[in-house]
Amino acid sequence: MAELSCSRIRRLVVCTLLCAGAVAASAAAPAATDAQALLAASDAIRNPGQPFSLAVSLTEYRAGKQTDANSLQVYSRADPQGGQFRTLVRFVAPARDLDKLMLKSGNELWFYDPASRASVRISPQQRLLGQAANGDVVTVNFAQAYRARLEQQEEVQDGDRQLRQCDRLALEAATPDVTYHSVQMWLDHANQRPVKARFFSESGRLLKTAFYRRYREELGVQRPTEIVIIDGLDPSLVTVMRYGEFVAREVPESWLQRDYLPRFRPE
C-alpha cells in the first residue's frame, strides 16, 4: 500500500511538472495571430483608414550636413479587395523633378516622366533619396505584406533617447514583391505605436534602422510625423522623412491606373 502511494505521488509530480512546462511554454510563445493583430494595430496608427493625401519631405544628411532634399505629394487609398494601399506619388521639388509620378497599384510600381511621356516599371528596393527607397514613400500595411512573430518584450531607446517598454516583432515577407525581405519592429507595449524598426536584405544584411518620432494628432489619431532613417553600414548617413498636411479626400480610381499617368493634372 505504501509503494502504491509513492507510485501515485511520482506520477502526480511528473504530471504536474509537464503541465507547468506546457503553461510556461505557452506564455513564452504567444500565438502568431496575436503578433499579426499587434502589427495591424500599428498599421492603423501609421496609416489613415480613409482615402487621404499628405505632403512628404525627404532630407539627406552626411555627417550632419544636408546634402540633398526633395518634396512629394502622396495620394493613397486602401484596396477594398485585399486591404493593401494603392498610392500615387507626385514629385513637387526640386524643379528638375516637378510632376514626375510614381504609382503603386497591386504588386507593381511604375515611374512616369512627363519629359519622355513614358512609364517604366521600377523596383520598390531602388534608392529614391539618401537612405529612403521607393517602397518607403508609398503607403504600406505591413500586416498585409509580412507574417509577424512576437519575439519578446524589452526596453529600447526611442528616437528621443527615452526608454520604452516594447513588443519586438519579427516580420518575414509574405510575398516576393515587398521592399524588405525581413524586418524587426518594436511597438510600444502600451499602445502599439511604432518606435523603431530594422530592415534586412535577403542575405540577412542590415540595410537601415528607422525611428518613428514626433507623434501628433492627424485625421483623429496620434501618428508619427517624422521617420529618421540611419544607414545600416555607415551611421553618418541619415535621411529624415517628414509628413504633414494630412487631408481626408477622395482619390479617384482613374488616378491609380497606369494608362492615366500622362493625363494626371495636380489640383
Side-chain angles (χ1 to χ4, degrees):
M1 187 68 181
E3 288 184 3
L4 183 60
S5 297
C6 290
S7 176
R8 284 180 175 173
I9 291 171
R10 281 196 296 271
R11 286 200 297 271
L12 180 60
V13 169
V14 169
C15 180
T16 302
L17 290 174
L18 289 174
C19 289
V23 170
S26 174
T33 52
D34 293 339
Q36 210 67 32
L38 291 174
L39 187 60
S42 173
D43 284 342
I45 292 172
R46 291 189 303 107
N47 304 322
Q50 67 272 56
F52 67 95
S53 67
L54 58 79
V56 180
S57 69
L58 294 95
T59 308
E60 179 185 11
Y61 298 90
R62 292 176 181 265
K65 295 183 179 179
Q66 181 177 333
T67 53
D68 204 353
N70 69 7
S71 299
L72 311 168
Q73 185 73 29
V74 175
Y75 306 90
S76 287
R77 76 176 196 187
D79 185 343
Q81 301 300 321
Q84 191 53 276
F85 277 90
R86 302 165 71 195
T87 302
L88 178 66
V89 178
R90 173 182 169 245
F91 290 68
V92 177
R96 66 174 182 272
D97 292 330
L98 181 63
D99 288 338
K100 291 177 181 177
L101 301 171
M102 187 161 56
L103 172 67
K104 171 75 165 63
S105 184
N107 296 326
E108 297 179 348
L109 189 60
W110 296 93
F111 177 78
Y112 173 78
D113 188 341
S116 63
R117 298 184 62 81
S119 59
V120 295
R121 189 168 179 178
I122 57 176
S123 163
Q125 295 86 12
Q126 185 177 332
R127 176 181 177 275
L128 176 62
L129 182 136
Q131 282 58 57
N134 292 329
D136 292 327
V137 297
V138 297
T139 311
V140 173
N141 271 336
F142 284 147
Q144 299 288 331
Y146 293 90
R147 291 183 292 270
R149 176 169 51 85
L150 180 56
E151 292 187 319
Q152 65 182 54
Q153 290 182 12
E154 61 185 1
E155 266 192 338
V156 298
Q157 198 173 64
D158 67 12
D160 297 312
R161 300 186 178 184
Q162 301 295 312
L163 289 177
R164 295 190 180 278
Q165 187 69 22
C166 290
D167 296 317
R168 190 178 80 195
L169 304 186
L171 313 185
E172 295 292 334
T175 60
D177 55 344
V178 294
T179 307
Y180 304 102
H181 181 73
S182 61
V183 182
Q184 276 186 322
M185 179 163 277
W186 285 261
L187 307 181
D188 191 313
H189 180 70
N191 50 31
Q192 288 77 57
R193 289 181 180 177
V195 173
K196 174 184 174 182
R198 302 174 77 203
F199 301 91
F200 297 90
S201 68
E202 188 170 4
S203 66
R205 180 170 67 88
L206 176 63
L207 298 172
K208 62 188 74 172
T209 299
F211 291 93
Y212 299 80
R213 305 176 64 221
R214 299 190 185 281
Y215 278 79
R216 67 168 183 255
E217 185 160 322
E218 295 287 357
L219 299 180
V221 174
Q222 290 284 323
R223 307 183 192 280
T225 61
E226 184 176 283
I227 302 176
V228 179
I229 306 173
I230 302 171
D231 187 83
L233 289 177
D234 184 351
S236 72
L237 305 179
V238 176
T239 300
V240 179
M241 298 175 59
R242 295 186 176 90
Y243 301 87
E245 302 176 20
F246 286 75
V247 177
R249 55 154 299 153
E250 183 56 36
V251 179
E253 171 64 26
S254 59
W255 290 13
L256 304 174
Q257 302 293 326
R258 178 192 171 196
D259 292 343
Y260 190 80
L261 294 177
R263 290 178 282 162
F264 175 79
R265 297 292 180 272
E267 296 177 339

